[in-house]
Tab-separated table of all heavy atoms in Angstrom:
chain	number	residue	atom	x	y	z
A	1644	LEU	N	97.324	-81.647	-119.896
A	1644	LEU	CA	96.102	-81.013	-120.196
A	1644	LEU	C	95.204	-81.728	-121.290
A	1644	LEU	O	95.688	-81.871	-122.341
A	1644	LEU	CB	96.277	-79.574	-120.609
A	1644	LEU	CG	95.112	-78.696	-120.983
A	1644	LEU	CD1	94.211	-78.464	-119.903
A	1644	LEU	CD2	95.658	-77.390	-121.680
A	1645	VAL	N	94.130	-82.263	-120.845
A	1645	VAL	CA	93.332	-82.995	-121.953
A	1645	VAL	C	92.388	-82.040	-122.609
A	1645	VAL	O	92.182	-82.183	-123.934
A	1645	VAL	CB	92.424	-84.029	-121.099
A	1645	VAL	CG1	91.455	-84.666	-121.876
A	1645	VAL	CG2	93.325	-85.122	-120.497
A	1646	ALA	N	91.698	-81.093	-122.022
A	1646	ALA	CA	90.782	-80.171	-122.644
A	1646	ALA	C	90.637	-78.881	-121.741
A	1646	ALA	O	90.798	-78.988	-120.504
A	1646	ALA	CB	89.417	-80.829	-122.850
A	1647	GLU	N	90.248	-77.834	-122.325
A	1647	GLU	CA	89.953	-76.667	-121.681
A	1647	GLU	C	88.715	-75.961	-122.209
A	1647	GLU	O	88.350	-76.340	-123.387
A	1647	GLU	CB	91.113	-75.667	-121.611
A	1647	GLU	CG	91.676	-75.363	-122.978
A	1647	GLU	CD	93.017	-74.581	-122.865
A	1647	GLU	OE1	93.284	-74.067	-121.779
A	1647	GLU	OE2	93.768	-74.484	-123.794
A	1648	VAL	N	88.035	-75.127	-121.578
A	1648	VAL	CA	86.755	-74.721	-121.849
A	1648	VAL	C	86.582	-73.289	-121.447
A	1648	VAL	O	87.025	-72.816	-120.464
A	1648	VAL	CB	85.643	-75.542	-121.267
A	1648	VAL	CG1	85.617	-75.551	-119.760
A	1648	VAL	CG2	84.239	-75.262	-121.747
A	1649	ASP	N	85.804	-72.427	-122.243
A	1649	ASP	CA	85.318	-71.167	-121.907
A	1649	ASP	C	83.711	-71.303	-122.008
A	1649	ASP	O	83.264	-71.930	-123.004
A	1649	ASP	CB	85.871	-70.073	-122.913
A	1649	ASP	CG	87.351	-69.740	-122.587
A	1649	ASP	OD1	87.682	-69.456	-121.508
A	1649	ASP	OD2	87.975	-69.796	-123.613
A	1650	GLY	N	83.112	-70.688	-121.057
A	1650	GLY	CA	81.611	-70.804	-121.120
A	1650	GLY	C	80.967	-69.443	-120.666
A	1650	GLY	O	81.636	-68.623	-119.955
A	1651	LEU	N	79.628	-69.376	-120.954
A	1651	LEU	CA	78.946	-68.115	-120.671
A	1651	LEU	C	77.602	-68.615	-120.096
A	1651	LEU	O	76.907	-69.401	-120.852
A	1651	LEU	CB	78.681	-67.214	-121.804
A	1651	LEU	CG	77.782	-65.971	-121.641
A	1651	LEU	CD1	78.325	-65.041	-120.571
A	1651	LEU	CD2	77.514	-65.233	-122.908
A	1652	TRP	N	77.255	-68.095	-118.923
A	1652	TRP	CA	76.016	-68.400	-118.355
A	1652	TRP	C	75.189	-67.093	-118.251
A	1652	TRP	O	75.806	-65.979	-117.910
A	1652	TRP	CB	76.098	-69.050	-116.929
A	1652	TRP	CG	76.069	-70.506	-116.951
A	1652	TRP	CD1	75.124	-71.257	-116.569
A	1652	TRP	CD2	77.148	-71.356	-117.475
A	1652	TRP	NE1	75.447	-72.664	-116.708
A	1652	TRP	CE2	76.587	-72.699	-117.255
A	1652	TRP	CE3	78.381	-71.140	-117.973
A	1652	TRP	CZ2	77.453	-73.783	-117.675
A	1652	TRP	CZ3	79.141	-72.294	-118.424
A	1652	TRP	CH2	78.676	-73.566	-118.151
A	1653	ILE	N	73.848	-67.066	-118.555
A	1653	ILE	CA	73.071	-65.896	-118.569
A	1653	ILE	C	72.086	-65.994	-117.402
A	1653	ILE	O	71.301	-67.044	-117.469
A	1653	ILE	CB	72.375	-65.677	-119.909
A	1653	ILE	CG1	73.386	-65.538	-121.065
A	1653	ILE	CG2	71.523	-64.349	-119.771
A	1653	ILE	CD1	74.266	-64.282	-120.949
A	1654	GLU	N	71.964	-65.039	-116.555
A	1654	GLU	CA	71.008	-65.018	-115.478
A	1654	GLU	C	69.757	-64.934	-116.057
A	1654	GLU	O	69.387	-64.092	-116.981
A	1654	GLU	CB	71.336	-63.838	-114.554
A	1654	GLU	CG	70.336	-63.834	-113.340
A	1654	GLU	CD	70.756	-62.680	-112.333
A	1654	GLU	OE1	71.918	-62.432	-112.194
A	1654	GLU	OE2	69.775	-61.980	-111.919
A	1655	LEU	N	68.725	-65.711	-115.629
A	1655	LEU	CA	67.384	-65.726	-116.203
A	1655	LEU	C	66.559	-64.508	-115.720
A	1655	LEU	O	66.636	-64.153	-114.559
A	1655	LEU	CB	66.681	-67.066	-115.851
A	1655	LEU	CG	67.262	-68.359	-116.326
A	1655	LEU	CD1	66.429	-69.531	-116.066
A	1655	LEU	CD2	67.564	-68.296	-117.947
A	1656	LYS	N	65.689	-64.053	-116.669
A	1656	LYS	CA	64.651	-63.128	-116.310
A	1656	LYS	C	63.520	-63.965	-115.676
A	1656	LYS	O	63.334	-65.092	-115.883
A	1656	LYS	CB	64.127	-62.388	-117.466
A	1656	LYS	CG	65.311	-61.550	-118.176
A	1656	LYS	CD	64.653	-60.838	-119.466
A	1656	LYS	CE	65.748	-59.956	-120.189
A	1656	LYS	NZ	65.288	-59.359	-121.402
A	1657	PRO	N	62.606	-63.268	-114.873
A	1657	PRO	CA	61.503	-63.864	-114.164
A	1657	PRO	C	60.683	-64.736	-115.132
A	1657	PRO	O	60.242	-65.874	-114.791
A	1657	PRO	CB	60.668	-62.769	-113.517
A	1657	PRO	CG	61.765	-61.773	-113.303
A	1657	PRO	CD	62.679	-61.834	-114.437
A	1658	ASP	N	60.427	-64.285	-116.310
A	1658	ASP	CA	59.593	-64.968	-117.263
A	1658	ASP	C	60.241	-66.088	-117.910
A	1658	ASP	O	59.611	-66.881	-118.675
A	1658	ASP	CB	58.939	-64.011	-118.251
A	1658	ASP	CG	59.966	-63.362	-119.228
A	1658	ASP	OD1	61.096	-63.278	-118.741
A	1658	ASP	OD2	59.595	-62.843	-120.215
A	1659	GLN	N	61.544	-66.264	-117.657
A	1659	GLN	CA	62.228	-67.325	-118.311
A	1659	GLN	C	62.497	-68.627	-117.375
A	1659	GLN	O	63.144	-69.576	-117.836
A	1659	GLN	CB	63.618	-66.962	-118.819
A	1659	GLN	CG	63.657	-65.823	-119.817
A	1659	GLN	CD	64.993	-65.353	-120.115
A	1659	GLN	OE1	65.846	-65.070	-119.283
A	1659	GLN	NE2	65.223	-64.985	-121.557
A	1660	THR	N	61.912	-68.530	-116.217
A	1660	THR	CA	62.148	-69.574	-115.187
A	1660	THR	C	60.864	-70.585	-115.284
A	1660	THR	O	60.815	-71.431	-114.341
A	1660	THR	CB	62.162	-69.001	-113.823
A	1660	THR	OG1	60.976	-68.297	-113.456
A	1660	THR	CG2	63.344	-68.071	-113.711
A	1661	GLN	N	60.044	-70.494	-116.292
A	1661	GLN	CA	58.937	-71.351	-116.335
A	1661	GLN	C	59.314	-72.678	-116.952
A	1661	GLN	O	60.364	-72.892	-117.496
A	1661	GLN	CB	57.887	-70.662	-117.281
A	1661	GLN	CG	57.350	-69.410	-116.910
A	1661	GLN	CD	56.335	-68.875	-117.823
A	1661	GLN	OE1	55.259	-69.274	-118.045
A	1661	GLN	NE2	56.777	-67.698	-118.460
A	1662	ASN	N	58.484	-73.685	-116.737
A	1662	ASN	CA	58.698	-75.053	-117.239
A	1662	ASN	C	58.294	-75.028	-118.685
A	1662	ASN	O	57.190	-75.211	-119.140
A	1662	ASN	CB	57.894	-75.990	-116.542
A	1662	ASN	CG	58.169	-77.520	-116.892
A	1662	ASN	OD1	58.718	-77.689	-118.083
A	1662	ASN	ND2	57.842	-78.429	-116.055
A	1663	ILE	N	59.325	-74.776	-119.632
A	1663	ILE	CA	58.931	-74.691	-121.110
A	1663	ILE	C	58.566	-76.068	-121.670
A	1663	ILE	O	57.873	-76.060	-122.575
A	1663	ILE	CB	60.108	-74.201	-121.764
A	1663	ILE	CG1	61.390	-75.074	-121.646
A	1663	ILE	CG2	60.405	-72.620	-121.399
A	1663	ILE	CD1	62.579	-74.597	-122.613
A	1664	SER	N	58.981	-77.122	-121.010
A	1664	SER	CA	58.571	-78.449	-121.522
A	1664	SER	C	57.085	-78.686	-121.226
A	1664	SER	O	56.308	-79.115	-122.222
A	1664	SER	CB	59.364	-79.494	-120.747
A	1664	SER	OG	60.732	-79.426	-121.030
A	1665	ALA	N	56.560	-78.308	-120.074
A	1665	ALA	CA	55.111	-78.332	-119.825
A	1665	ALA	C	54.379	-77.463	-120.668
A	1665	ALA	O	53.272	-77.754	-121.133
A	1665	ALA	CB	54.895	-77.987	-118.375
A	1666	ILE	N	54.846	-76.250	-120.910
A	1666	ILE	CA	54.094	-75.254	-121.778
A	1666	ILE	C	54.035	-75.836	-123.191
A	1666	ILE	O	52.976	-75.751	-123.823
A	1666	ILE	CB	54.888	-73.912	-121.790
A	1666	ILE	CG1	54.853	-73.255	-120.482
A	1666	ILE	CG2	54.389	-73.045	-122.967
A	1666	ILE	CD1	55.768	-72.031	-120.319
A	1667	GLY	N	55.113	-76.544	-123.688
A	1667	GLY	CA	55.075	-77.064	-125.070
A	1667	GLY	C	54.100	-78.167	-125.116
A	1667	GLY	O	53.351	-78.330	-126.139
Side-chain angles (χ1 to χ4, degrees):
L1644 177 63
V1645 169
E1647 51 191 344
V1648 62
D1649 289 308
L1651 173 65
W1652 267 252
I1653 302 293
E1654 183 179 318
L1655 299 183
K1656 297 177 180 179
D1658 62 344
Q1659 294 175 322
T1660 61
Q1661 302 177 65
N1662 185 340
I1663 61 173
S1664 298
I1666 294 172

